[in-house]
Coordinates of all heavy atoms in Angstrom, one line a residue:
H629 N 5.5 0.3 -8.1 CA 6.3 -0.4 -9.1 C 7.5 -1.1 -8.4 O 7.9 -2.2 -8.8 CB 6.8 0.5 -10.2 CG 5.7 1.0 -11.1 ND1 4.6 0.2 -11.5 CD2 5.5 2.3 -11.6 CE1 3.8 0.9 -12.2 NE2 4.3 2.2 -12.3
D641 N 3.8 -12.9 -2.7 CA 2.5 -12.5 -3.2 C 1.6 -12.1 -2.1 O 0.4 -11.8 -2.5 CB 1.9 -13.7 -4.1 CG 1.8 -14.9 -3.3 OD1 2.0 -14.9 -2.0 OD2 1.3 -15.9 -3.8
L726 N 14.5 -0.2 3.7 CA 15.2 -0.7 2.5 C 16.6 -1.0 3.0 O 17.2 -0.2 3.8 CB 15.3 0.4 1.4 CG 13.9 0.8 0.8 CD1 14.1 1.9 -0.2 CD2 13.2 -0.4 0.2
Q734 N 23.4 1.6 10.4 CA 24.3 0.8 11.2 C 25.7 1.3 11.2 O 26.4 1.3 12.2 CB 24.2 -0.7 10.8 CG 22.9 -1.4 10.9 CD 22.4 -1.3 12.4 OE1 23.0 -1.7 13.3 NE2 21.2 -0.8 12.5
A782 N 37.5 19.5 23.2 CA 38.9 19.2 23.5 C 39.0 17.8 24.1 O 40.0 17.1 23.9 CB 39.4 20.2 24.5
F848 N 40.8 38.0 17.6 CA 41.7 37.3 18.5 C 43.0 38.0 18.7 O 43.4 38.9 17.8 CB 42.0 35.9 18.0 CG 40.8 34.9 18.1 CD1 40.9 33.7 17.4 CD2 39.7 35.2 18.8 CE1 39.8 32.9 17.4 CE2 38.6 34.4 18.8 CZ 38.6 33.2 18.1
D894 N 29.3 22.4 9.5 CA 28.3 23.4 9.8 C 27.0 23.0 9.1 O 27.0 22.2 8.1 CB 28.7 24.8 9.4 CG 27.8 25.9 10.1 OD1 27.1 25.6 11.1 OD2 27.9 27.0 9.7
A915 N 40.6 11.2 14.6 CA 40.2 12.6 14.2 C 39.0 13.1 15.0 O 38.1 12.3 15.2 CB 39.9 12.7 12.7
Q925 N 15.5 23.3 12.6 CA 15.3 23.8 11.3 C 14.9 22.7 10.3 O 14.9 21.5 10.7 CB 16.6 24.5 10.8 CG 16.9 25.9 11.3 CD 18.0 26.6 10.5 OE1 18.2 26.3 9.4 NE2 18.8 27.4 11.2
P945 N 22.9 12.4 32.8 CA 22.6 12.0 34.2 C 21.5 12.9 34.8 O 21.4 14.0 34.5 CB 24.0 12.1 34.9 CG 25.0 12.1 33.9 CD 24.4 12.8 32.7
G1041 N 23.6 53.9 -8.7 CA 24.7 54.7 -8.3 C 26.0 54.0 -8.3 O 27.0 54.6 -7.9
L1195 N 1.7 36.2 6.8 CA 0.5 36.4 6.0 C -0.2 35.1 5.8 O 0.4 34.2 5.1 CB 0.8 37.1 4.7 CG 1.4 38.5 4.8 CD1 2.9 38.4 4.5 CD2 0.8 39.5 3.9
D1199 N -5.9 29.2 10.9 CA -5.9 27.8 10.7 C -4.6 27.2 10.2 O -4.2 26.1 10.5 CB -7.1 27.4 9.8 CG -8.5 27.6 10.5 OD1 -8.5 27.8 11.7 OD2 -9.5 27.6 9.8

Side-chain angles (χ1 to χ4, degrees):
H629 292 322
D641 58 3
L726 296 180
Q734 296 305 304
F848 292 164
D894 196 15
Q925 283 193 30
L1195 300 103
D1199 289 349

